[in-house]
Each structure stands twice: as structure tokens, then as C-alpha cells.
Amino acid sequence: MHITFNGREIELSFGLRTLTTIDRSLGLEVENVSLGQGLETMLVPGLQSGNIICLYKLIQAATAHDKKKPTTDSDFESILNDIAENDGLEEFAQQVMYELGKQPMTRKLVPEEFQEEKGTKRMSMQKED
């Protein structure tokens, strides 16, 4: 999955580093102690409702690996406006949930309709043989 920034495509990464960042940034903080839990309590409900801050935090974390990543609020605002105008925020959020549903580490976070079955890849590989 990609986004466009400054005329180039940046791949969104959903690895452990991204997930940890999202968990912290969308998680709970009590008396200056971060409790995390943003993945389980905020990410999917935020995606389902098209929450702009959730999308912002997700894109920020998922592009952090790129050397020419967006860095300013203005950069992210431009990206989100582009997504809203061209794809729609709700559609983009659904694409993210489908992407999370493909990943073994995040599959169980999203509703079943977005989950790719564990055996799907294996079965399709067997059919090719």
C-alpha cells in the first residue's frame, strides 16, 4: 500500500516499529505514564469512523522508515487532503484495514470481513503446482 508525497510514492510499512509507534501515539496516558493499547482501543474504531487524527498518526508511523518522509503538519495535511479528494478517507481507511488483515501480526485487530484467511496463500500456491 502506498501514498503519494511530493510527486513520489511512499510505501506504508506495517511492521513492528510502526505498530509500536501507533500503540503509543493512540494509546492512553495516565499521570504522564503511557499505557499504550492504542492498537486495540483506538486504531480500528478510528479507521472505521474515518477519524482524521487516527489516519494522521497511522501515516506518520507507517512512513517513518522512508528517508524523504513527510515531517511537518503541513506535509500530512497535504497528504490527507489528497487522499480525501482522490480516494476518500473512508475508502483509504478500509484499504488500511484490508492491509492489516493480510498481516499475521495484525490480522486479529480488524473485523473478520477484513481478514485474509491464513490458508488462502498456501492454497493458491498449491493450485499453481
Side-chain angles (χ1 to χ4, degrees):
M1 179 170 196
H2 297 84
I3 60 161
T4 302
F5 174 63
N6 283 343
R8 60 188 272 287
E9 287 191 346
I10 298 177
E11 183 175 353
L12 298 180
S13 168
F14 295 103
L16 192 56
R17 181 178 178 187
T18 299
L19 299 175
T20 301
T21 301
I22 292 169
D23 196 54
R24 267 191 257 122
S25 68
L26 293 177
L28 303 172
E29 189 171 310
V30 177
E31 295 184 26
N32 296 327
V33 176
S34 177
L35 301 176
Q37 300 300 312
L39 280 175
E40 295 175 24
T41 61
M42 297 298 291
L43 180 62
V44 172
L47 290 171
Q48 288 175 319
S49 68
N51 181 301
I52 196 71
I53 301 303
C54 182
L55 292 171
Y56 161 67
K57 296 290 187 180
L58 176 115
I59 292 169
Q60 186 178 40
T63 58
H65 67 284
D66 194 278
K67 289 181 181 182
K68 296 182 180 180
K69 64 186 173 270
T71 56
T72 67
D73 286 344
S74 178
D75 291 342
F76 290 105
E77 188 173 332
S78 174
I79 290 166
L80 289 164
N81 279 329
D82 183 57
I83 290 169
E85 290 176 3
N86 294 309
D87 300 322
L89 294 174
E90 293 80 15
E91 291 80 5
F92 178 78
Q94 282 190 345
Q95 290 173 12
V96 169
M97 286 194 289
Y98 279 115
E99 194 63 35
L100 293 171
K102 293 177 188 177
Q103 309 293 327
M105 292 188 299
T106 56
R107 185 176 292 129
K108 294 293 183 185
L109 294 175
V110 297
E112 283 187 27
E113 68 214 53
F114 297 101
Q115 294 178 16
E116 183 176 285
E117 293 184 35
K118 293 177 189 177
T120 303
K121 288 184 180 177
R122 233 180 268 139
M123 284 191 281
S124 64
M125 288 172 48
Q126 289 174 350
K127 288 179 182 178
E128 292 175 8
D129 290 340

